[in-house]
Amino acid sequence: MNPHGVSRRKLLGLITAGSAAAAGLLAVNWQNASGPGWPGISPVNAGGTPPRRGDKTLVVFYSKTGRNFPDLNLEVGNTAQVAGFIHDRVGGDRYEVVPSEPYPADYDETDRMAQREASERLYRPIKPGTPDTDQYGTVFLGFPVWWGEQPMAMQTFMRDHDLNGARIVPFVTHEGSQFGNSLEILERYYPQADVLDGYARQGQQVYRDPDGTRTQVNSWLEGLGF
Ligand SMILES: Cc1cc2nc3c(=O)[nH]c(=O)nc-3n(C[C@H](O)[C@H](O)[C@H](O)COP(=O)(O)O)c2cc1C
């Protein structure tokens, strides 16, 4: 339940019905878990010189397979789909952030866990073998919006990789919050990055209309000059 006593599932039901009013309500109720000021988030390499960067392109993303809203069982997560469409067009390297311990299969359990992780800023360990991000001048950074933020597994990647000085191109999937607070959070980690206009798509639209999503992604990328 959110502070207004309306369950998120109910709100999601409203938004699925397509009501603009419900979209406003959703935005009000899906506040970030940790509140203003983003306690626990410090700029990466604060005040330091950004690393010397190569000119390669990286598409890095986190996405959850399995049970998801609304009663979907995703073999490929929504954000992973979008990451694939981006990579098909821009090439370069592709890297999936994977938590060391998977989130629970059950949606509600994951939801509760994610809220706690975000509100207590519990950085979720991720599998080793992450790329040396200094090689990349352009980094596409993708994630589902969870409680208005990047999931903590993605924030672990962000905390541990200095993307200052890079061109960062954010992309998200969501169920009504659009980017939520994630762009502010991105700037908080990387005050010296050049953040380009991102792409946000409702997750179930990615699932239901992959071809339309690919078309949208291509025209967004074209608009950015990719
Ligand atoms: C734990 C959890 C928290 C979520 N929080 C939000 C949210 O705050 N705002 C929103 O619009 N959607 C939220 N969603 C919906 C997801 O962003 C959406 O289903 C997304 O497409 C999932 O992407 P994935 O398949 O790549 O994991 C949440 C989903 C989960 C599982």
PDB file of all heavy atoms in Angstrom, residues 2 23 33 56 77-78 82 119 121 129 137 148 155 160 166 170-171 188 193 196 200 203:
ATOM      1  N   ASN A   2       0.445   2.267  -0.691  1.00  0.00           N
ATOM      2  CA  ASN A   2       1.180   3.516  -0.688  1.00  0.00           C
ATOM      3  C   ASN A   2       0.621   4.410   0.416  1.00  0.00           C
ATOM      4  O   ASN A   2      -0.359   4.071   1.066  1.00  0.00           O
ATOM      5  CB  ASN A   2       1.049   4.177  -2.070  1.00  0.00           C
ATOM      6  CG  ASN A   2      -0.398   4.356  -2.394  1.00  0.00           C
ATOM      7  OD1 ASN A   2      -1.114   4.988  -1.645  1.00  0.00           O
ATOM      8  ND2 ASN A   2      -0.858   3.755  -3.465  1.00  0.00           N
ATOM      9  N   ALA A  23      -3.379   8.467 -14.611  1.00  0.00           N
ATOM     10  CA  ALA A  23      -1.944   8.643 -14.814  1.00  0.00           C
ATOM     11  C   ALA A  23      -1.414   9.692 -13.839  1.00  0.00           C
ATOM     12  O   ALA A  23      -0.360   9.530 -13.254  1.00  0.00           O
ATOM     13  CB  ALA A  23      -1.651   9.058 -16.253  1.00  0.00           C
ATOM     14  N   ALA A  33      11.171   5.902  -3.260  1.00  0.00           N
ATOM     15  CA  ALA A  33      11.137   5.318  -1.926  1.00  0.00           C
ATOM     16  C   ALA A  33      11.995   6.091  -0.930  1.00  0.00           C
ATOM     17  O   ALA A  33      11.765   6.018   0.261  1.00  0.00           O
ATOM     18  CB  ALA A  33      11.590   3.872  -1.997  1.00  0.00           C
ATOM     19  N   LYS A  56      34.256   4.016 -28.153  1.00  0.00           N
ATOM     20  CA  LYS A  56      33.325   2.906 -28.416  1.00  0.00           C
ATOM     21  C   LYS A  56      31.936   3.188 -27.820  1.00  0.00           C
ATOM     22  O   LYS A  56      31.764   4.088 -27.006  1.00  0.00           O
ATOM     23  CB  LYS A  56      33.890   1.615 -27.817  1.00  0.00           C
ATOM     24  CG  LYS A  56      35.129   1.107 -28.555  1.00  0.00           C
ATOM     25  CD  LYS A  56      35.785  -0.035 -27.809  1.00  0.00           C
ATOM     26  CE  LYS A  56      34.922  -1.288 -27.781  1.00  0.00           C
ATOM     27  NZ  LYS A  56      35.589  -2.379 -27.036  1.00  0.00           N
ATOM     28  N   GLY A  77      12.932  -9.719 -20.763  1.00  0.00           N
ATOM     29  CA  GLY A  77      12.349  -8.556 -20.082  1.00  0.00           C
ATOM     30  C   GLY A  77      12.083  -7.410 -21.059  1.00  0.00           C
ATOM     31  O   GLY A  77      12.676  -7.346 -22.146  1.00  0.00           O
ATOM     32  N   ASN A  78      11.199  -6.499 -20.655  1.00  0.00           N
ATOM     33  CA  ASN A  78      10.822  -5.387 -21.530  1.00  0.00           C
ATOM     34  C   ASN A  78      12.024  -4.498 -21.869  1.00  0.00           C
ATOM     35  O   ASN A  78      12.223  -4.106 -23.023  1.00  0.00           O
ATOM     36  CB  ASN A  78       9.739  -4.537 -20.853  1.00  0.00           C
ATOM     37  CG  ASN A  78       8.467  -5.325 -20.595  1.00  0.00           C
ATOM     38  OD1 ASN A  78       8.084  -6.160 -21.401  1.00  0.00           O
ATOM     39  ND2 ASN A  78       7.823  -5.071 -19.463  1.00  0.00           N
ATOM     40  N   VAL A  82      14.092  -3.602 -25.546  1.00  0.00           N
ATOM     41  CA  VAL A  82      14.453  -2.279 -26.065  1.00  0.00           C
ATOM     42  C   VAL A  82      15.969  -2.199 -26.264  1.00  0.00           C
ATOM     43  O   VAL A  82      16.457  -1.672 -27.275  1.00  0.00           O
ATOM     44  CB  VAL A  82      13.947  -1.162 -25.124  1.00  0.00           C
ATOM     45  CG1 VAL A  82      14.420   0.205 -25.590  1.00  0.00           C
ATOM     46  CG2 VAL A  82      12.425  -1.194 -25.035  1.00  0.00           C
ATOM     47  N   SER A 119      14.591   2.503  -0.416  1.00  0.00           N
ATOM     48  CA  SER A 119      14.436   3.458   0.688  1.00  0.00           C
ATOM     49  C   SER A 119      15.610   3.388   1.647  1.00  0.00           C
ATOM     50  O   SER A 119      15.968   4.386   2.261  1.00  0.00           O
ATOM     51  CB  SER A 119      13.121   3.253   1.417  1.00  0.00           C
ATOM     52  OG  SER A 119      13.076   1.967   1.938  1.00  0.00           O
ATOM     53  N   ARG A 121      18.620   2.433   0.583  1.00  0.00           N
ATOM     54  CA  ARG A 121      19.786   2.548  -0.302  1.00  0.00           C
ATOM     55  C   ARG A 121      20.711   1.345  -0.108  1.00  0.00           C
ATOM     56  O   ARG A 121      21.887   1.467   0.186  1.00  0.00           O
ATOM     57  CB  ARG A 121      20.521   3.864  -0.002  1.00  0.00           C
ATOM     58  CG  ARG A 121      21.471   4.360  -1.079  1.00  0.00           C
ATOM     59  CD  ARG A 121      20.849   4.689  -2.387  1.00  0.00           C
ATOM     60  NE  ARG A 121      19.747   5.618  -2.334  1.00  0.00           N
ATOM     61  CZ  ARG A 121      18.786   5.678  -3.278  1.00  0.00           C
ATOM     62  NH1 ARG A 121      18.809   4.908  -4.327  1.00  0.00           N
ATOM     63  NH2 ARG A 121      17.805   6.524  -3.174  1.00  0.00           N
ATOM     64  N   GLY A 129      32.595  -9.217 -13.700  1.00  0.00           N
ATOM     65  CA  GLY A 129      32.804  -9.303 -15.149  1.00  0.00           C
ATOM     66  C   GLY A 129      32.221  -8.119 -15.880  1.00  0.00           C
ATOM     67  O   GLY A 129      32.020  -8.153 -17.098  1.00  0.00           O
ATOM     68  N   GLY A 137      32.826   6.103 -25.143  1.00  0.00           N
ATOM     69  CA  GLY A 137      32.460   7.520 -25.149  1.00  0.00           C
ATOM     70  C   GLY A 137      30.953   7.693 -25.087  1.00  0.00           C
ATOM     71  O   GLY A 137      30.450   8.725 -24.647  1.00  0.00           O
ATOM     72  N   GLY A 148      10.088   4.577  -8.871  1.00  0.00           N
ATOM     73  CA  GLY A 148      10.522   5.873  -9.382  1.00  0.00           C
ATOM     74  C   GLY A 148      12.013   6.004  -9.629  1.00  0.00           C
ATOM     75  O   GLY A 148      12.487   7.097  -9.936  1.00  0.00           O
ATOM     76  N   GLN A 155      21.898   0.643  -9.833  1.00  0.00           N
ATOM     77  CA  GLN A 155      22.614   1.692  -9.086  1.00  0.00           C
ATOM     78  C   GLN A 155      23.963   1.185  -8.589  1.00  0.00           C
ATOM     79  O   GLN A 155      24.909   1.961  -8.431  1.00  0.00           O
ATOM     80  CB  GLN A 155      21.747   2.228  -7.951  1.00  0.00           C
ATOM     81  CG  GLN A 155      20.528   2.992  -8.480  1.00  0.00           C
ATOM     82  CD  GLN A 155      19.845   3.852  -7.436  1.00  0.00           C
ATOM     83  OE1 GLN A 155      20.484   4.451  -6.579  1.00  0.00           O
ATOM     84  NE2 GLN A 155      18.520   3.929  -7.522  1.00  0.00           N
ATOM     85  N   ASP A 160      29.728   1.949  -9.195  1.00  0.00           N
ATOM     86  CA  ASP A 160      31.045   1.334  -9.382  1.00  0.00           C
ATOM     87  C   ASP A 160      31.710   1.676 -10.713  1.00  0.00           C
ATOM     88  O   ASP A 160      32.807   1.193 -10.993  1.00  0.00           O
ATOM     89  CB  ASP A 160      30.930  -0.193  -9.257  1.00  0.00           C
ATOM     90  CG  ASP A 160      30.536  -0.605  -7.846  1.00  0.00           C
ATOM     91  OD1 ASP A 160      30.599   0.250  -6.937  1.00  0.00           O
ATOM     92  OD2 ASP A 160      30.170  -1.778  -7.652  1.00  0.00           O
ATOM     93  N   ALA A 166      31.258  10.917 -20.289  1.00  0.00           N
ATOM     94  CA  ALA A 166      30.651  10.153 -21.394  1.00  0.00           C
ATOM     95  C   ALA A 166      29.362  10.829 -21.850  1.00  0.00           C
ATOM     96  O   ALA A 166      28.772  11.636 -21.128  1.00  0.00           O
ATOM     97  CB  ALA A 166      30.353   8.722 -20.933  1.00  0.00           C
ATOM     98  N   PRO A 170      19.885   7.623 -21.743  1.00  0.00           N
ATOM     99  CA  PRO A 170      19.047   6.778 -20.891  1.00  0.00           C
ATOM    100  C   PRO A 170      17.836   6.214 -21.635  1.00  0.00           C
ATOM    101  O   PRO A 170      17.270   6.889 -22.510  1.00  0.00           O
ATOM    102  CB  PRO A 170      18.593   7.728 -19.786  1.00  0.00           C
ATOM    103  CG  PRO A 170      18.733   9.099 -20.328  1.00  0.00           C
ATOM    104  CD  PRO A 170      19.704   9.065 -21.472  1.00  0.00           C
ATOM    105  N   PHE A 171      17.457   4.994 -21.298  1.00  0.00           N
ATOM    106  CA  PHE A 171      16.182   4.456 -21.794  1.00  0.00           C
ATOM    107  C   PHE A 171      15.559   3.621 -20.690  1.00  0.00           C
ATOM    108  O   PHE A 171      16.251   2.955 -19.930  1.00  0.00           O
ATOM    109  CB  PHE A 171      16.352   3.664 -23.101  1.00  0.00           C
ATOM    110  CG  PHE A 171      17.224   2.444 -23.018  1.00  0.00           C
ATOM    111  CD1 PHE A 171      16.669   1.176 -22.922  1.00  0.00           C
ATOM    112  CD2 PHE A 171      18.610   2.547 -23.072  1.00  0.00           C
ATOM    113  CE1 PHE A 171      17.473   0.035 -22.861  1.00  0.00           C
ATOM    114  CE2 PHE A 171      19.429   1.417 -23.013  1.00  0.00           C
ATOM    115  CZ  PHE A 171      18.857   0.162 -22.909  1.00  0.00           C
ATOM    116  N   ARG A 188      22.837  13.006 -10.470  1.00  0.00           N
ATOM    117  CA  ARG A 188      23.446  13.000  -9.143  1.00  0.00           C
ATOM    118  C   ARG A 188      24.718  12.136  -9.137  1.00  0.00           C
ATOM    119  O   ARG A 188      25.731  12.516  -8.573  1.00  0.00           O
ATOM    120  CB  ARG A 188      22.403  12.434  -8.190  1.00  0.00           C
ATOM    121  CG  ARG A 188      22.798  12.387  -6.784  1.00  0.00           C
ATOM    122  CD  ARG A 188      22.284  13.615  -6.091  1.00  0.00           C
ATOM    123  NE  ARG A 188      22.839  13.609  -4.759  1.00  0.00           N
ATOM    124  CZ  ARG A 188      22.480  14.396  -3.792  1.00  0.00           C
ATOM    125  NH1 ARG A 188      21.562  15.293  -4.005  1.00  0.00           N
ATOM    126  NH2 ARG A 188      23.036  14.330  -2.622  1.00  0.00           N
ATOM    127  N   ALA A 193      28.588  14.216 -16.771  1.00  0.00           N
ATOM    128  CA  ALA A 193      28.223  13.489 -17.996  1.00  0.00           C
ATOM    129  C   ALA A 193      27.352  14.366 -18.881  1.00  0.00           C
ATOM    130  O   ALA A 193      26.728  15.319 -18.410  1.00  0.00           O
ATOM    131  CB  ALA A 193      27.490  12.202 -17.639  1.00  0.00           C
ATOM    132  N   LEU A 196      21.907  12.726 -22.901  1.00  0.00           N
ATOM    133  CA  LEU A 196      21.084  13.031 -24.077  1.00  0.00           C
ATOM    134  C   LEU A 196      19.614  12.742 -23.788  1.00  0.00           C
ATOM    135  O   LEU A 196      19.283  12.098 -22.783  1.00  0.00           O
ATOM    136  CB  LEU A 196      21.557  12.176 -25.269  1.00  0.00           C
ATOM    137  CG  LEU A 196      22.676  12.770 -26.127  1.00  0.00           C
ATOM    138  CD1 LEU A 196      23.897  13.136 -25.322  1.00  0.00           C
ATOM    139  CD2 LEU A 196      23.066  11.783 -27.238  1.00  0.00           C
ATOM    140  N   ALA A 200      11.426   6.561 -23.181  1.00  0.00           N
ATOM    141  CA  ALA A 200      10.620   5.882 -22.158  1.00  0.00           C
ATOM    142  C   ALA A 200       9.435   5.212 -22.836  1.00  0.00           C
ATOM    143  O   ALA A 200       8.743   5.840 -23.645  1.00  0.00           O
ATOM    144  CB  ALA A 200      10.142   6.900 -21.124  1.00  0.00           C
ATOM    145  N   GLY A 203       6.049  -0.700 -20.350  1.00  0.00           N
ATOM    146  CA  GLY A 203       6.551  -2.064 -20.533  1.00  0.00           C
ATOM    147  C   GLY A 203       5.586  -2.956 -21.298  1.00  0.00           C
ATOM    148  O   GLY A 203       5.986  -3.706 -22.197  1.00  0.00           O
TER     149      GLY A 203
END
